Amino acid sequence: ATALAGSYVPTLRLSSQNDPTLNLLDLVYLQVEPTYLLQPTLQILRSEVRGEAGLFEVHLVNSGNTNREVAVKVQALNQPKHCLYTLEQEQTTAPPQATQRITLKGEPQKWWRRPLYGSGRNFNFRIQVEDPENHPLLANELRGSLTWAARPWGQLLLLALAALGVLGTL
């Protein structure tokens, strides 16, 4: 059940207990067919950010019996210039009966675009997993979201006090 895909040629030896001089040697040909079971999932490590980058992990769970070469791409769905996404590696090999992890960082750009109040700004993205050999995948697209939290109310209070001070001096 845990054999890797491929051809195996073990040797079979039969010996007689009654007559030790009688031996039979024969080859047995075994062919283990490949099983392609690769399940990509998205693990969220930090999706709400203030001044740092958001962290995600793409888990490639290979339950099959072959090595899987995959290419991973990330694409912004809304406002592509406002958030920079960086994959640790874009091509990887997932060994059989193991999990391969790829780190994804999402970092909002241009600090002055950070929302002043409210629930923050959402950046949606899509991760596409492709097999160059066109073997089937259990899922080839993952979706995620990064939230850029609004500024703390203390900053708004300081801004309002500074505005009142300027008006008072005028």
Side-chain angles (χ1 to χ4, degrees), residues 28-79:
V28 177
Y29 298 96
L30 299 174
Q31 177 70 32
V32 178
E33 293 297 320
T35 305
Y36 303 109
L37 294 173
L38 185 71
Q39 174 70 47
T41 57
L42 181 64
Q43 181 72 34
I44 299 169
L45 301 178
R46 182 173 53 226
S47 67
E48 185 172 335
V49 297
R50 288 172 174 72
E52 67 277 353
L55 286 175
F56 303 90
E57 274 188 351
V58 179
H59 291 194
L60 301 169
V61 181
N62 188 358
S63 301
N65 60 359
T66 58
N67 282 329
R68 297 292 299 270
E69 299 281 336
V70 292
V72 181
K73 298 177 189 172
V74 63
Q75 177 186 15
L77 294 178
N78 57 349
Q79 304 165 346

Side-chain angles (χ1 to χ4, degrees), residues 85-160:
Y85 299 102
T86 308
L87 280 168
E88 180 182 48
Q89 51 188 337
E90 292 184 359
Q91 299 251 347
T92 188
T93 301
Q97 305 299 322
T99 300
Q100 182 74 22
R101 291 177 172 83
I102 300 173
T103 303
L104 169 66
K105 291 183 181 178
E107 189 168 5
Q109 301 294 302
K110 301 178 182 172
W111 60 270
W112 61 86
R113 293 187 185 219
R114 185 174 176 186
L116 293 174
Y117 59 89
S119 61
R121 176 180 276 174
N122 286 331
F123 299 104
N124 297 319
F125 59 91
R126 173 177 49 207
I127 299 170
Q128 292 180 327
V129 181
E130 298 172 353
D131 190 336
E133 298 173 1
N134 291 327
H135 294 303
L137 298 166
L138 294 178
N140 62 353
E141 183 176 292
L142 305 170
R143 292 185 182 255
S145 171
L146 174 70
T147 303
W148 198 7
R151 297 182 188 275
W153 63 271
Q155 286 182 356
L156 291 175
L157 182 64
L158 288 175
L159 183 65

